[in-house]
Coordinates of all heavy atoms in Angstrom, one line a residue:
A1 N -180.1 -8.4 14.4 CA -178.8 -9.1 15.0 C -178.0 -8.0 15.7 O -177.6 -8.2 16.7 CB -178.1 -9.8 14.0
W2 N -177.8 -6.9 15.0 CA -176.9 -5.8 15.6 C -177.5 -5.3 16.9 O -176.9 -5.1 17.9 CB -176.7 -4.8 14.6 CG -176.0 -3.5 15.2 CD1 -176.4 -2.5 15.7 CD2 -174.5 -3.4 15.3 NE1 -175.4 -1.6 16.1 CE2 -174.1 -2.3 15.8 CE3 -173.4 -4.2 14.8 CZ2 -172.9 -1.9 15.9 CZ3 -172.2 -3.8 15.0 CH2 -171.9 -2.6 15.5
S3 N -178.9 -5.2 16.8 CA -179.6 -4.5 18.0 C -179.6 -5.5 19.3 O -179.6 -5.1 20.4 CB -181.0 -4.2 17.6 OG -181.8 -5.3 17.5
Y4 N -179.5 -6.8 18.9 CA -179.5 -7.7 20.1 C -178.1 -7.8 20.8 O -178.1 -7.7 22.0 CB -179.9 -9.1 19.6 CG -181.4 -9.2 19.4 CD1 -181.8 -9.8 18.1 CD2 -182.4 -9.0 20.2 CE1 -183.1 -9.8 17.8 CE2 -183.7 -9.0 20.0 CZ -184.1 -9.4 18.7 OH -185.4 -9.6 18.3
N5 N -177.1 -8.0 20.0 CA -175.8 -7.9 20.5 C -174.7 -7.7 19.4 O -174.6 -8.8 18.6 CB -175.5 -9.3 21.2 CG -174.2 -9.3 22.0 OD1 -173.3 -8.6 21.7 ND2 -174.3 -10.0 23.1
P6 N -174.2 -6.5 19.3 CA -173.2 -6.3 18.3 C -172.0 -7.1 18.1 O -171.6 -7.5 17.2 CB -172.9 -4.8 18.4 CG -173.9 -4.2 19.3 CD -174.5 -5.4 20.1
A7 N -171.6 -7.7 19.3 CA -170.5 -8.5 19.3 C -170.9 -9.9 18.8 O -169.9 -10.6 18.3 CB -170.0 -8.6 20.8
G8 N -172.0 -10.2 18.7 CA -172.5 -11.4 18.2 C -172.2 -11.6 16.7 O -172.1 -12.7 16.2
L9 N -172.1 -10.5 15.9 CA -171.7 -10.4 14.6 C -170.3 -11.1 14.3 O -169.9 -12.0 13.6 CB -171.8 -9.2 13.9 CG -173.1 -8.6 13.9 CD1 -173.1 -7.1 13.4 CD2 -174.2 -9.4 13.2
W10 N -169.4 -10.7 15.3 CA -168.1 -11.1 15.3 C -168.0 -12.7 15.7 O -167.3 -13.5 15.0 CB -167.2 -10.4 16.3 CG -166.8 -9.1 15.8 CD1 -167.4 -7.9 16.3 CD2 -165.8 -8.6 14.8 NE1 -166.8 -6.9 15.6 CE2 -166.0 -7.2 14.8 CE3 -165.0 -9.3 14.0 CZ2 -165.1 -6.6 13.9 CZ3 -164.1 -8.7 13.1 CH2 -164.3 -7.2 13.0
L11 N -168.8 -13.0 16.6 CA -168.8 -14.4 17.1 C -169.3 -15.4 15.9 O -168.8 -16.3 15.5 CB -169.6 -14.6 18.3 CG -169.6 -16.0 18.9 CD1 -168.3 -16.5 19.2 CD2 -170.5 -16.0 20.1
F12 N -170.4 -14.8 15.3 CA -171.0 -15.5 14.1 C -170.0 -15.7 13.0 O -169.7 -16.8 12.4 CB -172.2 -14.9 13.7 CG -173.0 -15.7 12.7 CD1 -173.9 -16.6 13.0 CD2 -172.9 -15.4 11.2 CE1 -174.5 -17.3 12.1 CE2 -173.5 -16.2 10.2 CZ -174.5 -17.1 10.8
L13 N -169.2 -14.7 12.7 CA -168.2 -14.8 11.7 C -167.2 -15.7 12.0 O -166.6 -16.5 11.2 CB -167.6 -13.4 11.5 CG -166.6 -13.3 10.4 CD1 -167.0 -13.6 9.1 CD2 -165.9 -11.9 10.5
I14 N -166.6 -15.7 13.3 CA -165.6 -16.6 13.7 C -166.2 -18.1 13.6 O -165.4 -19.0 13.1 CB -165.2 -16.3 15.1 CG1 -164.5 -15.1 15.2 CG2 -164.4 -17.5 15.8 CD1 -164.4 -14.5 16.7
M15 N -167.4 -18.2 14.0 CA -168.0 -19.6 13.9 C -168.1 -20.1 12.5 O -167.8 -21.2 12.1 CB -169.3 -19.6 14.7 CG -169.2 -19.4 16.1 SD -168.3 -20.5 17.0 CE -169.5 -21.8 17.2
A16 N -168.5 -19.2 11.6 CA -168.7 -19.5 10.1 C -167.3 -19.7 9.5 O -167.3 -20.7 8.7 CB -169.4 -18.3 9.5
C17 N -166.3 -19.2 10.0 CA -165.0 -19.5 9.3 C -164.4 -20.7 9.8 O -163.6 -21.3 9.1 CB -163.9 -18.3 9.8 SG -164.3 -16.7 9.0
Q18 N -165.0 -21.4 10.9 CA -164.6 -22.7 11.4 C -165.0 -23.7 10.3 O -164.2 -24.7 10.1 CB -165.3 -23.0 12.7 CG -164.7 -22.2 13.8 CD -163.2 -22.6 14.1 OE1 -162.9 -23.7 14.2 NE2 -162.4 -21.4 14.2
I19 N -166.1 -23.6 9.6 CA -166.5 -24.7 8.6 C -165.5 -24.9 7.5 O -165.0 -26.0 7.4 CB -167.8 -24.3 8.1 CG1 -168.8 -24.3 9.2 CG2 -168.2 -25.3 7.0 CD1 -170.3 -23.7 8.8
P20 N -165.1 -23.9 6.7 CA -164.0 -24.2 5.7 C -162.7 -24.6 6.4 O -162.0 -25.5 5.7 CB -164.0 -22.9 4.9 CG -164.4 -21.9 5.8 CD -165.4 -22.6 6.6
F21 N -162.3 -24.0 7.5 CA -161.0 -24.3 8.0 C -161.0 -25.7 8.5 O -160.0 -26.5 8.2 CB -160.7 -23.4 9.2 CG -159.3 -23.7 10.0 CD1 -158.1 -23.4 9.4 CD2 -159.4 -24.3 11.2 CE1 -156.9 -23.7 9.9 CE2 -158.2 -24.5 11.9 CZ -157.0 -24.2 11.1
R22 N -162.0 -26.1 9.2 CA -162.0 -27.6 9.8 C -162.2 -28.6 8.6 O -161.5 -29.8 8.7 CB -163.2 -27.8 10.8 CG -163.0 -26.9 12.0 CD -161.8 -27.2 12.7 NE -161.6 -26.3 13.9 CZ -160.6 -26.4 14.7 NH1 -159.8 -27.3 14.7 NH2 -160.6 -25.5 15.7
S23 N -162.9 -28.2 7.5 CA -163.0 -29.0 6.3 C -161.6 -29.3 5.7 O -161.2 -30.4 5.3 CB -163.9 -28.5 5.2 OG -165.2 -28.4 5.9
Y24 N -160.9 -28.1 5.6 CA -159.5 -28.3 5.0 C -158.6 -29.1 6.0 O -157.7 -29.9 5.4 CB -159.0 -26.8 4.8 CG -157.6 -26.8 4.3 CD1 -157.3 -27.3 2.9 CD2 -156.5 -26.3 5.1 CE1 -156.0 -27.3 2.5 CE2 -155.1 -26.3 4.4 CZ -155.0 -26.8 3.2 OH -153.7 -26.7 2.7
Q25 N -158.7 -28.9 7.3 CA -158.0 -29.8 8.2 C -158.2 -31.2 8.0 O -157.3 -32.1 7.9 CB -158.3 -29.3 9.6 CG -157.8 -28.1 10.1 CD -156.2 -28.1 10.4 OE1 -155.5 -28.6 9.6 NE2 -155.9 -27.6 11.5
L26 N -159.5 -31.6 7.8 CA -159.9 -32.9 7.7 C -159.3 -33.6 6.4 O -158.8 -34.6 6.2 CB -161.5 -33.2 7.6 CG -162.0 -32.9 9.0 CD1 -163.6 -33.0 8.9 CD2 -161.5 -34.1 10.0
W27 N -159.3 -32.7 5.4 CA -158.8 -33.0 4.0 C -157.3 -33.4 4.1 O -156.8 -34.3 3.6 CB -159.2 -31.9 2.9 CG -158.6 -32.3 1.6 CD1 -159.0 -33.1 0.7 CD2 -157.3 -31.7 1.0 NE1 -158.3 -33.1 -0.5 CE2 -157.2 -32.4 -0.2 CE3 -156.3 -30.9 1.6 CZ2 -156.1 -32.0 -1.1 CZ3 -155.2 -30.7 0.8 CH2 -155.0 -31.2 -0.5
R28 N -156.6 -32.5 4.8 CA -155.1 -32.6 5.1 C -154.8 -34.0 5.7 O -153.9 -34.6 5.4 CB -154.6 -31.4 5.8 CG -154.4 -30.2 4.9 CD -153.8 -29.0 5.8 NE -152.4 -29.4 6.3 CZ -151.3 -29.2 5.7 NH1 -151.3 -28.7 4.5 NH2 -150.2 -29.6 6.3
I29 N -155.6 -34.2 6.8 CA -155.3 -35.3 7.7 C -155.6 -36.6 6.9 O -154.9 -37.6 6.9 CB -156.1 -35.2 8.9 CG1 -155.7 -34.1 9.9 CG2 -156.2 -36.5 9.7 CD1 -156.6 -33.8 11.0
S30 N -156.7 -36.5 6.0 CA -157.0 -37.7 5.3 C -156.0 -38.1 4.2 O -155.8 -39.2 3.8 CB -158.4 -37.6 4.6 OG -158.4 -36.6 3.6
R31 N -155.2 -37.0 3.8 CA -154.0 -37.2 2.9 C -152.7 -37.5 3.5 O -151.7 -37.6 2.8 CB -153.9 -35.9 1.9 CG -155.2 -35.5 1.2 CD -155.3 -36.4 0.0 NE -156.4 -35.9 -0.9 CZ -157.7 -36.0 -0.7 NH1 -158.1 -36.6 0.4 NH2 -158.6 -35.7 -1.5
G32 N -152.8 -37.7 4.9 CA -151.6 -38.1 5.6 C -150.6 -36.8 5.9 O -149.5 -37.0 6.3
R33 N -151.2 -35.6 5.7 CA -150.4 -34.4 6.0 C -150.7 -34.0 7.5 O -151.8 -34.3 8.0 CB -150.8 -33.3 5.1 CG -150.5 -33.6 3.7 CD -150.8 -32.4 2.8 NE -150.5 -32.7 1.4 CZ -151.0 -32.0 0.4 NH1 -151.8 -31.0 0.6 NH2 -150.6 -32.3 -0.7
P34 N -149.8 -33.3 8.1 CA -150.0 -32.9 9.4 C -151.0 -31.7 9.4 O -151.2 -31.0 8.6 CB -148.7 -32.4 10.0 CG -148.0 -31.9 8.7 CD -148.4 -32.9 7.6
E35 N -151.7 -31.7 10.6 CA -152.7 -30.6 10.6 C -152.1 -29.3 11.0 O -150.9 -29.2 11.4 CB -153.8 -30.9 11.8 CG -153.3 -30.9 13.2 CD -154.3 -31.0 14.2 OE1 -155.0 -30.1 14.6 OE2 -154.3 -32.3 14.6
I36 N -152.6 -28.2 10.5 CA -152.3 -26.9 10.8 C -152.5 -26.4 12.2 O -153.7 -26.5 12.7 CB -152.9 -25.8 9.7 CG1 -152.6 -26.3 8.3 CG2 -152.4 -24.5 10.1 CD1 -153.4 -25.6 7.4
V37 N -151.5 -26.0 13.0 CA -151.7 -25.7 14.3 C -151.5 -24.1 14.3 O -150.3 -23.6 13.9 CB -150.7 -26.3 15.2 CG1 -150.9 -25.9 16.6 CG2 -150.9 -27.9 15.1
L38 N -152.6 -23.4 14.7 CA -152.4 -21.9 14.9 C -152.6 -21.4 16.3 O -153.7 -20.8 16.5 CB -153.4 -21.3 13.9 CG -153.3 -21.7 12.4 CD1 -154.5 -21.2 11.7 CD2 -152.0 -21.1 11.8
P39 N -151.9 -21.7 17.3 CA -152.1 -21.2 18.6 C -152.3 -19.7 18.8 O -153.1 -19.2 19.5 CB -150.9 -21.8 19.4 CG -149.8 -21.9 18.5 CD -150.5 -22.2 17.2
W40 N -151.5 -19.0 18.0 CA -151.7 -17.4 18.1 C -152.9 -17.1 17.6 O -153.6 -16.1 18.0 CB -150.6 -16.9 17.3 CG -150.4 -17.3 15.9 CD1 -149.7 -18.3 15.3 CD2 -151.2 -16.6 14.8 NE1 -150.3 -18.4 13.9 CE2 -150.9 -17.3 13.5 CE3 -152.1 -15.5 14.7 CZ2 -151.6 -17.1 12.4 CZ3 -152.7 -15.2 13.5 CH2 -152.4 -15.9 12.3
A41 N -153.6 -17.6 16.6 CA -154.8 -17.4 16.0 C -155.9 -17.5 17.0 O -156.8 -16.6 17.1 CB -155.1 -18.2 14.6
L42 N -155.9 -18.6 17.8 CA -156.9 -18.8 18.7 C -156.9 -17.8 19.8 O -157.9 -17.2 20.2 CB -156.7 -20.2 19.3 CG -157.8 -20.6 20.5 CD1 -159.1 -20.5 19.9 CD2 -157.4 -21.8 21.0
Q43 N -155.7 -17.5 20.4 CA -155.5 -16.5 21.3 C -155.9 -15.1 20.8 O -156.7 -14.3 21.5 CB -154.1 -16.4 21.9 CG -153.7 -17.7 22.6 CD -152.3 -17.7 22.9 OE1 -151.5 -16.8 22.5 NE2 -151.9 -18.7 23.7
F44 N -155.6 -14.8 19.6 CA -156.0 -13.4 18.9 C -157.4 -13.3 18.8 O -158.1 -12.4 19.1 CB -155.3 -13.4 17.7 CG -155.6 -12.0 16.9 CD1 -155.0 -10.9 17.5 CD2 -156.4 -12.1 15.9 CE1 -155.2 -9.6 16.8 CE2 -156.6 -10.8 15.2 CZ -156.1 -9.6 15.7
T45 N -158.1 -14.5 18.2 CA -159.6 -14.4 18.1 C -160.3 -14.4 19.4 O -161.3 -13.6 19.5 CB -159.9 -15.8 17.3 OG1 -159.2 -15.8 16.2 CG2 -161.4 -15.8 17.0
L46 N -159.9 -15.0 20.5 CA -160.5 -15.0 21.7 C -160.4 -13.7 22.4 O -161.3 -13.2 23.0 CB -160.1 -16.1 22.7 CG -160.4 -17.6 22.3 CD1 -159.8 -18.5 23.2 CD2 -161.9 -17.7 22.3

């Protein structure tokens, strides 16, 4: 994986972190709580 594209490891990690974060968001919304908005995190990650 490193030999094909070293930056792909970061992208894969970012994508993998989306699964628990989005699951937690869905759990919060289903309980009537507001979703967590992290505009700075998106810009920083990108």
